[in-house]
Amino acid sequence: MKASIALTAIAALAAKVYAVPPSCFSLKLGYPCCSNASTPSVYEDSDGKWGVENGNWCGIPEQVKVCWSEKLGYPCCTSTSVSVFEDNDGKWGIENGNWCGIINGPTPTPTPTPKTTPNPEPTIDPTQYKINGNPFKGVDFYLNPYYVEEVENALNNLIDSSLRSKVEKMKTFSNAIWLDTINNMQSWLEPNLKGALAQHQSTGKDVLTVFVVYDLPGRDCHALASNGELLANDADAQRYKTEYIDVIESHLKQYTAQPVVLIIEPDSLANMVTNLDDPHCSQSESYYMDGHAYLLKKFGVLDHVAMYLDIGHAFWLGWDDNREKAAKLYKKVIDSASPGKVRGFVDNVANYTPWEDPTLSRGPDTDWNPCPDEKRYLEAVKKDFTSAGIKSVYFVSDTSRNGHKTDRKHPGEWCNQTGVGVGARPQASPVSGMDYLDAFYWIKPLGESDGTSDESAVRFDGYCGHDTAMKPAPEAGQWFQAHFEQGVENANPPL
Ligand code: BGC
């Protein structure tokens, strides 16, 4: 506590004598507590926040935490302060798929009459939302409460505390919700569809949620880091259909009033274009093809759902011969699912390739690639896919980690690259003159690892041990604080 700070100027402001609140950090330092938690803070140090009352320093007490939601049958939130819904009782958040009351919200009003509108269990609305054109346009983007929780935990573990205000902002942007196992799908799909519906019912606005469908048998066939729970065999292919796709379908059919975007199986079809000489990929081929036909038929007839098939990135399918093969393959996949409709394609998922790179970023093995950045890649794919007869060719581009050129010397490096920076914020129709670009969106949540650097781990992939892969790195999907902080620091545009 810096007693030397002059108080004379502010002393005059304090006129009233307040009752001393129960307790606060400053008592033990010989200063009274301020009268309440909303006393303005004029100074902060490692002891806490200081205010001035009666010309004297006082310690601002922590806000009294009232768990108002418990008496309504819901727990208090423990780690989130992001409100997805507000009613007379207070602000509601979501944790572990359940509604919870945000404790520092408004002081509870006396026990209300039974809940009507503010409903953590929103009334299922049978209205059928119809996506007409770009599903990202004119809607609110749903905030993924799981990610908000991850960022809140990150705030408690900051390595570089000067990043605090930037990290705070990360909680306000939307990103995709990965249904990467049967269990995670069960935990995340319905609660978030419900959250979006509740938000819609309280704000009157349409609320878009974006999910990643990611559990194909033999997943990540050309790498190890994201190998999935289902293997490339008939029994697991059956589980994919009945325990995963059918369950997703049943929830989507129940929540029809809000728009939903599905990002379909990152990396899978791109592997079918270039990596069939890898036995893992050739063993997975029929399951990938059949899995796509199955899910596209089911989800492609739902009017409130729009799907984007993953097309890798510029330094995967950007070469002329790869794009030519890709056009044929994607056409075949889409045709196999008729009458299921596909809105378009998603590029750069979990990759680092810049949107525009005037320096071309060429390096070994990248000569002859006419698409040295994502923008030129999409321009070329638009042309090729349209000429191949694909009817609906629109794009979503993942910009969660491509704001800053990473340190990678070769654009084939995909694992936890150093020099990462968060890119353009999620937004609809972001580039004028490119009306086929539906959105920039954050698909891979910044801070979630690409793969472990532990060489003894079953899913250790050599790429995660390369020079420009940040280490030590946790398993794919687990929180990677140092990578996250670097991404925040290098954000472009800045946060
Ligand atoms: C992992 C998934 C994870 C996703 C998002 C993938 O690389 O394999 O488990 O959900 O990234 O972080």
Side-chain angles (χ1 to χ4, degrees), residues 276-338:
L276 280 177
D277 53 350
D278 176 333
H280 293 116
C281 291
S282 53
Q283 276 151 28
S284 300
E285 185 181 10
S286 61
Y287 301 113
Y288 282 17
M289 299 300 278
D290 187 40
H292 274 83
Y294 189 80
L295 74 91
L296 296 181
K297 266 184 207 155
K298 294 204 156 207
F299 306 152
V301 292
L302 305 176
D303 285 341
H304 62 302
V305 174
M307 287 185 287
Y308 297 84
L309 304 181
D310 183 84
I311 51 166
H313 55 94
F315 286 104
W316 188 344
L317 300 183
W319 284 266
D320 290 346
D321 51 346
N322 286 348
R323 291 198 328 277
E324 198 185 315
K325 282 191 231 157
K328 290 193 186 118
L329 179 85
Y330 286 83
K331 166 94 167 77
K332 182 168 153 198
V333 168
I334 292 167
D335 287 351
S336 75
S338 174

Side-chain angles (χ1 to χ4, degrees), residues 178 180 184 214 219 225-227 350 443-445 448-451 459 476-478:
W178 287 63
D180 63 333
N184 284 345
Y214 190 52
R219 191 178 79 190
S226 281
N227 285 177
I443 312 281
K444 172 81 184 180
E448 294 186 5
S449 172
D450 295 320
R459 299 203 303 174
Q478 299 302 302

Side-chain angles (χ1 to χ4, degrees), residues 68 157 321 474:
W68 51 271
N157 294 305
D321 51 346

Side-chain angles (χ1 to χ4, degrees), residues 357-438:
D357 186 357
T359 63
L360 299 192
S361 76
R362 295 202 185 214
D365 300 334
T366 62
D367 288 342
W368 310 113
N369 184 346
C371 305
D373 58 29
E374 292 306 303
K375 185 167 190 235
R376 276 171 280 188
Y377 179 49
L378 296 192
E379 284 164 354
V381 173
K382 169 75 182 168
K383 240 166 102 210
D384 295 348
F385 281 25
T386 308
S387 1
I390 300 178
K391 297 265 164 355
S392 184
V393 186
Y394 296 89
F395 300 96
V396 177
S397 197
D398 185 0
T399 54
S400 62
R401 310 189 304 174
N402 72 345
H404 185 254
K405 229 163 141 182
T406 61
D407 298 332
R408 66 185 185 186
K409 314 253 171 349
H410 186 291
E413 296 287 352
W414 51 264
C415 194
N416 299 320
Q417 291 303 289
T418 58
V420 61
V422 82
R425 308 299 110 89
Q427 56 194 290
S429 308
V431 177
S432 68
M434 226 175 158
D435 58 351
Y436 52 91
L437 178 63
D438 281 347

